[in-house]
Amino acid sequence: MVNRSPFQEVHNTRFVERNTSIPVPHILDVIQYTIPGFPDPQIRGLIVMTYIEGVLLSDWVAEHTRRTAARDAVLEELDAALSSGDGQMLDRLIEQMRTMSPPVLEVTGDEALLSDLRNALRELRSIPPPSGAVSGLDNQPREFKAALFEFTNPTLFPERMPTLRRLAGPVQSMNHRIVFTHGDLHGFNIIVKDGRLAGIIDWETAGWLPEYWEHTSIEGHITLEPLFHQFWDAVGAFGPSPYPEELALEFALWLCTGTSIVAGLDVDLRCPRVANWPSGGNDAGPSQRPRGTNH
């Protein structure tokens, strides 16, 4: 059941099923109905589809995480401190955690899953677009890059606008290929079975978008999840240090728009993922990587 019209997800899923070998649910039936309401009626939907067996990628990552015994012991103490509300113990344990080595994702021997995901994304991105416009499957053009700034608030964050415009300059001047994009890949939309990709689900946000959007969307879901950083770096679907200028801009926009707004005058808009990449940097100039001819 979905809290919106179901047809976009249905059309996108069927499109991917027809045009790629990516495993997706087979749509059996779809029902749209309306719930009367004020001021507007609410559209709802029910999609009947085949079931894909396997485990969620989020569970797979948890099962393949290697932690030290010392870290596990501190985590148990943290749970106890949270339950008891012992603030002093919490502060001490958090400080102790900061000095410990982070957990490591163990992907040795799981090259098949990494390859499956890498090939799936490359296949998806190789579908010829119907036009150079950014659009959904209805092919309605959108001034995509300029529209990103419509969600910022120059009145609320006037001191941030110069940084946002500086970061936007090289991105808006680049030519980006338009590719078919899932747009919402995260640990709950990817299904794994027996060490292989079993399915990718939830295609409602898919459409023809700039080539960097899949990567920056993934990064948006894993900002505070270093284990997933390790996973997607191992997949390497977008090459080494992909799209640093675009990610730097998107990260700054996330802190200024939507539900991820961070208030304050001294907010650091620099993207740590870009700063940590060998060839990246938030002050980097326009990329010299070859681009497509579509904006």
Side-chain angles (χ1 to χ4, degrees), residues 186-242:
H186 53 72
F188 299 101
N189 283 345
I190 298 171
I191 301 172
V192 181
K193 183 180 180 182
D194 299 330
R196 303 299 298 263
L197 175 64
I200 298 178
I201 61 175
D202 291 350
W203 291 86
E204 67 270 19
T205 63
W208 301 102
L209 295 161
E211 60 184 282
Y212 66 85
W213 193 252
E214 194 82 87
H215 170 65
T216 57
S217 296
I218 290 171
E219 290 285 336
H221 286 297
I222 62 175
T223 302
L224 299 176
E225 299 188 46
L227 289 169
F228 273 95
H229 291 159
Q230 296 174 43
F231 177 79
W232 285 108
D233 288 348
V235 172
F238 310 100
S241 305

Side-chain angles (χ1 to χ4, degrees), residues 76-134:
E76 289 183 10
E77 290 186 72
L78 270 173
D79 285 340
L82 286 169
S83 299
S84 65
D86 189 332
Q88 288 186 339
M89 181 180 287
L90 277 173
D91 291 341
R92 177 179 62 80
L93 292 172
I94 290 172
E95 192 60 36
Q96 186 176 346
M97 289 282 289
R98 288 174 177 159
T99 66
M100 304 179 76
S101 300
V104 175
L105 183 66
E106 182 57 69
V107 295
T108 303
D110 291 289
E111 289 79 5
L113 173 60
L114 304 180
S115 178
D116 286 349
L117 261 175
R118 185 163 51 246
N119 291 336
L121 287 173
R122 289 177 178 172
E123 185 177 4
L124 191 68
R125 292 158 66 84
S126 69
I127 303 173
S131 74
V134 179

